[in-house]
Amino acid sequence: MSFQYKETEMFAEDCAVTDLAKKHGTPLFIYSKAAITANWEQFAKHWPAPNKLCYAVKANSNLAVLNLLARLGAGFDIVSGGELARVLAAGGKAADVVFSGVGKSHDEIAYALDQGIGCFNVESAAELERIQEIAASKGVTAPVSLRVNPDVDAQTHPYIATGLKANKFGIAMSEARDVFRRAAQLPNLNVCGADCHIGSQILTPQPFLDAAERMFTLVSDLRQEGIQITHLDMGGGFGIPYQHEDKLEVGNYLQTLQQKAAELGNLKLMLEPGRSIVGNAGIMVTKVEYYKPGSEKNFLLVDAGMNDLLRPALYNAYHAIQPVVRHDGVDEQLVDVVGPVCETGDFFGHARHLAAQEGDLLAVMNAGAYGFTMASNYNTRPRAAEVMVHGDSATLIREREPLESLWQGEHILGESV
Ligand SMILES: *Cc1c(COP(=O)(O)O)cnc(C)c1O
């Protein structure tokens, strides 16, 4: 929506993408402030206080993105101590943060307690004991929610399905009641919530509704036992169209959750959207280095690689690829768009129709979520720059990494070794 052609040129809001690429180089991530804000409002308008939205930081954790969302009233869902530090650096408050993740270390738990974390989303019985021990040693009470695995099939890519019995995430529904009973007995824990997160890139409401059904039943049962659950966090996972999929409308689902909560009474609801807030709010711009025709396939070799945007290599994910300047009248070729990294998995698209030549710019669409945050320095490639546009102005929100920084902190052996 915020990336559109004006005549033959692609604009990010009111900034010409060509100009941004000229100024900041490629590969370049460009995010639209208006798009992030509009995506946020799609949820916020259906979600009155005291219900809360905790943006899932791992989708895009740039300080400018976090700061924008904090100003819009976001809480945050984190999966590491590093993400908590980022949220705090961006102006977020620890009290508005929930801490998910299956493998929280001792140090991460201690750090989160010291900062005054809003809630731990606990993923195992062992983690519960660990949090109790650390909270006791500090003489504090830790707010906890138990992440339950509701065993629903989210019908998404197996690498991003998290709510099945066979996944490593959460506590099995069959054990959940016992673990809640145990938690309620531990003196330094305040068992205030239940949560789940069934997977990512889910495009139909049914898996969410199935999970909600099971979670509300659980909350109701626990309350009957005297375990006073005051919030239910239904996680994230809302899909976005990457190709021709229908858009998932969240409004009805959010209303349904609130009706169910009203029936139980005194239950604050939470959600943890990530991708749906930033996914379509970003593009990755890359330059064509070579056109390489072949006997079986033609390749467009571009200056971005799987280290910049991993989703195609990791999940075989589809991203639309569009020319930044349309050359109407030039014949399109059938091409594979591939990067320079020494891996066959280093591709952005197979069998695409594009009319592009050496030096042309391409936009890889819907790259705002799980793009930069998954980037690496594989092949000693500096990570890309990031820009946020707002109307006709643009702010460099992350500088391109200087090459020397890539071996900062490395040491060669002394001559006597
Ligand atoms: C990744 C994650 C999210 C966000 O998922 P999206 O598909 O980006 O909405 C929310 N909650 C938890 C616990 C996560 O791990």
Side-chain angles (χ1 to χ4, degrees), residues 258-270:
Q258 287 167 78
Q259 276 160 19
K260 285 174 181 277
E263 283 164 25
L264 286 183
N266 194 24
L267 186 66
K268 172 171 143 179
L269 292 167
M270 291 163 60

Side-chain angles (χ1 to χ4, degrees), residues 15-251:
C15 298
V17 170
T18 307
D19 293 345
L20 295 174
K22 225 174 253 163
K23 180 157 182 202
H24 300 290
T26 52
L28 177 68
F29 283 88
I30 303 174
Y31 310 123
S32 156
K33 181 184 172 201
I36 295 173
T37 307
N39 288 336
W40 183 258
E41 288 305 323
Q42 288 294 312
F43 285 86
K45 72 179 180 195
H46 295 292
W47 208 239
N51 300 326
K52 222 163 112 176
L53 293 169
C54 291
Y55 167 69
V57 171
K58 72 179 188 291
N60 186 324
S61 59
N62 185 288
L63 289 195
V65 172
L66 301 182
N67 175 262
L68 170 61
L69 290 166
R71 285 192 276 150
L72 289 169
F76 297 94
D77 168 57
I78 60 161
V79 291
S80 71
E83 286 190 348
L84 176 54
R86 260 187 188 281
V87 167
L88 298 177
K93 294 196 195 66
D96 295 327
V97 176
V98 297
F99 193 166
S100 303
V102 278
K104 299 176 194 77
S105 72
H106 186 286
D107 287 355
E108 287 176 318
I109 292 167
Y111 170 58
L113 277 173
D114 290 344
Q115 297 300 319
I117 193 88
C119 193
F120 289 98
N121 288 348
V122 176
E123 303 226 10
S124 65
E127 183 187 331
L128 202 59
E129 303 294 333
R130 183 182 284 188
I131 295 175
Q132 159 59 31
E133 197 183 303
I134 300 169
S137 76
K138 292 180 181 291
V140 297
T141 302
V144 300
S145 162
L146 298 193
R147 176 170 175 180
V148 177
N149 185 334
D151 194 27
V152 298
D153 184 356
Q155 300 184 335
T156 187
H157 188 283
Y159 285 10
I160 49 177
T162 57
L164 283 168
K165 270 193 233 167
N167 296 129
K168 69 178 175 181
F169 300 97
I171 297 159
M173 190 55 103
S174 55
E175 294 161 24
R177 285 163 179 80
D178 282 343
V179 183
F180 268 104
R181 284 178 202 122
R182 170 71 184 153
Q185 287 166 357
L186 294 172
N188 293 81
L189 301 184
N190 172 23
V191 189
C192 51
D195 66 282
C196 69
H197 171 69
I198 57 176
S200 197
Q201 185 52 16
I202 299 165
L203 281 159
T204 58
Q206 203 55 49
F208 293 113
L209 292 166
D210 291 348
E213 189 76 47
R214 291 173 199 190
M215 294 302 290
F216 277 99
T217 303
L218 175 68
V219 169
S220 166
D221 291 356
L222 291 169
R223 283 181 170 186
Q224 270 170 18
E225 286 193 31
I227 300 174
Q228 283 311 322
I229 303 296
T230 54
H231 81 250
L232 173 62
D233 177 349
M234 290 298 298
F238 310 100
I240 62 167
Y242 282 98
Q243 196 165 3
H244 302 300
E245 307 92 331
D246 290 332
K247 189 169 186 287
L248 173 73
E249 295 295 344
V250 293

